[in-house]
Amino acid sequence: MQGIGIDTAIILACVGIIAGLFGVLLGLGGGAIIVPMLTLIPYFHLTIHQAVAISIVCVLGVSLGGTVRYVEEGLTDIRLG
């Protein structure tokens, strides 16, 4: 299995930067920008279902990372049982 090429990495980085800038400037979620970009740019060859799945996985990753950090800092009140 091959890794992604340098050209793909550069394109993905540019898409991420554009999504971040628009997200910050317009108050949009990243998925509102990433999903259309992944489906409309012919380079990626993704269906709408694949783009939505990628967006959801990204949200889950970021949410999980934030949750872990809040628990480590003791900023959450978690009671088990």
Side-chain angles (χ1 to χ4, degrees):
M1 183 173 181
Q2 291 181 334
I4 62 171
I6 189 70
D7 54 341
T8 303
I10 290 172
I11 291 172
L12 288 172
C14 290
V15 168
I17 290 170
I18 291 169
L21 287 174
F22 277 111
V24 168
L25 292 174
L26 302 175
L28 297 173
I33 298 165
I34 292 290
V35 171
M37 283 187 161
L38 289 177
T39 56
L40 296 176
I41 296 176
Y43 182 80
F44 296 117
H45 306 291
L46 294 175
T47 65
I48 188 75
H49 299 296
Q50 292 170 326
V52 169
I54 290 170
S55 178
I56 290 172
V57 168
C58 291
V59 168
L60 288 173
V62 171
S63 299
L64 182 62
T67 301
V68 168
R69 186 67 178 161
Y70 271 79
V71 170
E72 286 176 349
E73 294 291 326
L75 299 173
T76 56
D77 185 17
I78 299 176
R79 297 179 190 164
L80 300 176

